[in-house]
Amino acid sequence: SDLPSLENIFFHPVFFFYPNARTSFSVGLNNTYEQRKGGDMQVLRDRLSPLHQFSIQNQSLRNTLDIVADHKLTLQDKLSLKLRLSNFKRDISSNVFGMKAKQLSLFSEISYLKKLPKHNLVAGINLNGDRFSKRAPDSAAIPAYRYFTVGAFIQDDWTIQPKLVAETGMRLDYHTTYGAFALPRISLLYKFSSQFSFRAGAGMGYRVPTVFNGDVDERDYRIVQLDSAAVAEKSWGVNTDFNLHTRIGEVKLQLNQSLFLTRINRPLVPFAPPGVLHYYSASKPIITRGFETWVQLDWNKLEAYLGYTFTDAQRKYDTVQSRVVLTARDKFATVIGYEITDNFRAIAEASWTGQ
């Protein structure tokens, strides 16, 4: 089967409360049930045989509680609270293995906003948690775990002058297993005129090791292993873009040119000796660089868009196949729309993805 048989039930009510003019909060419930079946079509038709064995079934249930509260202390000061609790149960069964697991997740944040004539300051603290546990019977090699992350952050949007705006921030996280992380970021926006602007930014990030990613086939959960010496991925990136808005006669023209560079240190990569899928932290990085160019034209009732993206993603740890797989070097996209009447518009889209 190219696509699985899918059954899905989704329930997502949100309740809003306004105790007074300064206070508001909302409570949301998100309940999702999903069942997917796929595999050999003969097996799905109940025609199991020695030549037709493969099948896989996923059954998942996610219950999430979201709470958001805001309280305006003054016209320039606001206190905010965010809380999310999630309970995720997942059962996987196939002709080669089965897994029954449960994941509990916590996200909580308290922040304070202060507005000044030239500054918008935001500071806050947060606590995140993640617990993964398995239930019998289970043949997956993934171990149970429990993580907590405590963090603090501050952000300042500073209008240095009418044409120059700076956005700066710093975040400090402490992970109970992988230690402390300092994550600065900065972005500058300069408006040469009402038609032309330039922006540049840089920042750092991290990701703790996990085998739950899109690269792992579910059937490999029974042999997947995380190296005991694996460390968190740390990344940094820089980007710039030029943006032009202008009019040529009756034609509105918008042109954007951006450049980007990203480096991921100690990336988590697979190694597959016979019977094992072992993930470890590579000693050399993944470096991605490229640019994106797009132009948009509006004339009378006609609108046209054309974009091109070039991406060069290199795995420096792999001397045999250095290019990151499934990452196209060239991408083109175009959209043309025409408003035939006030109530009807025709649109044509086309795209091309290279190797």
Side-chain angles (χ1 to χ4, degrees), residues 40-41 55 59 100 128 148-149 153 202 234 250 262 269 291 305 340 346 351:
D40 191 309
M41 295 304 299
S55 67
Q59 195 174 61
K100 296 179 180 290
N128 302 334
F148 286 99
T149 304
F153 61 90
K234 295 182 180 180
E250 296 182 354
T262 303
V269 299
F291 64 86
Y305 166 88
I340 300 175
S351 64

Side-chain angles (χ1 to χ4, degrees), residues 246-254 296-300:
T246 189
R247 180 185 288 270
I248 304 174
E250 296 182 354
V251 179
K252 294 180 181 178
L253 171 66
Q254 184 174 354
Q296 181 172 320
L297 299 173
D298 292 276
W299 176 66
N300 199 2

Side-chain angles (χ1 to χ4, degrees), residues 13-71:
V14 182
F15 304 93
F16 298 90
F17 303 91
Y18 303 92
N20 54 58
R22 292 187 173 184
T23 305
S24 66
F25 68 93
S26 64
V27 178
L29 300 175
N30 190 330
N31 307 101
T32 304
Y33 169 81
E34 182 179 279
Q35 179 171 277
R36 290 182 290 141
K37 294 181 180 180
D40 191 309
M41 295 304 299
Q42 298 298 319
V43 178
L44 296 178
R45 296 188 181 106
D46 296 325
R47 299 173 183 172
L48 183 68
S49 70
L51 295 178
H52 301 278
Q53 296 283 325
F54 170 58
S55 67
I56 187 165
Q57 176 175 318
N58 264 272
Q59 195 174 61
S60 63
L61 175 64
R62 184 186 296 274
N63 297 305
T64 303
L65 171 67
D66 285 295
I67 299 175
V68 178
D70 293 312
H71 179 67

